[in-house]
Amino acid sequence: RLDDLFQARQVSHELARELPGIYRVLNWTDYHRNFFAALKMEKRMMWLLLFFIVVIAAFNIVATLVMAVIDKQSDIAILKTLGATPAQIRNIFVVQGSVIGLVGTLLGVLLGVLGSYFVADIIAVLEGLLGRQFLSIDIYPIDYIPSDLRSSDVMLVALVALALNFFAALYPAWRAARLQPAQVLRYE
């Protein structure tokens, strides 16, 4: 018996070294190895799912900024004729894309944290509205959805979202910086 159950693996390895080879040392993690492997794979799949959701959001930002570049071609051309450098034009669209991503990330983090804190209440409200129990105690060993919010996970997802958003803003900004004022204004 241990005070810290997560020390079981380390203690079992120490016992296996100290005891002669006639004893076989097992701990509680050995008895449930498949369960823990399934949980580890589920966590990896959730990361992959979140990554693809963020990538899709980044593609939406790219599409929005490309449409803004197309819509604002004449304005960009006028700025260039007034002396704006390609770097300044590029920075305008990078900042615009970064602000969109920052606001989206902050809203996503806020809603995600609130949702994880109140998931049991949300499920209870939905069950009451729909008149149906989602997690029946007759079928599942638990009748609630557990939530373990880790600030390191939240920060990592937020940082990945911000980084992907920044890189997503680079292409439309580069495209805006390459516009030729004479070609754009010729047809205005």
Side-chain angles (χ1 to χ4, degrees):
R1 294 179 185 256
L2 300 170
D3 291 331
D4 183 8
L5 63 104
F6 296 108
Q7 294 290 325
R9 182 170 289 228
Q10 179 183 352
V11 171
S12 67
H13 288 302
E14 291 172 7
L15 283 174
R17 268 194 314 261
E18 293 176 12
L19 295 175
I22 60 173
Y23 295 103
R24 185 172 147 198
V25 180
L26 297 173
N27 61 57
W28 65 273
T29 62
D30 295 327
Y31 288 111
H32 306 290
R33 187 177 311 274
N34 290 338
F35 175 70
F36 293 116
L39 284 179
K40 189 175 184 180
M41 184 158 80
E42 178 184 0
K43 186 169 183 171
R44 284 184 184 156
M45 290 297 115
M46 289 302 289
W47 274 107
L48 187 64
L49 180 66
L50 280 173
F51 177 75
F52 283 129
I53 289 171
V54 170
V55 167
I56 290 169
F59 280 131
N60 285 335
I61 290 171
V62 168
T64 301
L65 288 176
V66 166
M67 293 303 292
V69 168
I70 291 169
D71 188 43
K72 301 294 183 184
Q73 279 183 351
S74 61
D75 297 334
I76 294 167
I78 291 171
L79 284 173
K80 281 189 159 190
T81 58
L82 291 174
T85 64
Q88 290 171 328
I89 300 295
R90 185 175 49 247
N91 289 343
I92 290 170
F93 283 93
V94 168
V95 167
Q96 182 183 2
S98 297
V99 168
I100 291 170
L102 182 65
V103 169
T105 301
L106 289 176
L107 283 174
V109 166
L110 178 68
L111 291 175
V113 167
L114 287 175
S116 67
Y117 277 129
F118 299 111
V119 68
D121 299 329
I122 293 169
I123 295 297
V125 167
L126 285 174
E127 287 177 344
L129 288 174
L130 299 174
R132 185 171 187 190
Q133 187 176 11
F134 296 128
L135 297 172
S136 174
I137 196 69
D138 299 334
I139 300 171
Y140 301 105
I142 57 172
D143 61 348
Y144 65 96
I145 295 177
S147 175
D148 181 23
L149 185 66
R150 296 183 183 199
S151 59
S152 61
D153 290 344
V154 172
M155 292 304 290
L156 183 60
V157 169
L159 289 175
V160 167
L162 289 173
L164 281 174
N165 176 67
F166 174 76
F167 289 117
L170 290 179
Y171 171 71
W174 172 75
R175 188 170 169 178
R178 286 190 44 217
L179 283 177
Q180 298 298 322
Q183 290 177 347
V184 173
L185 295 176
R186 183 180 331 162
Y187 300 108
E188 284 293 319

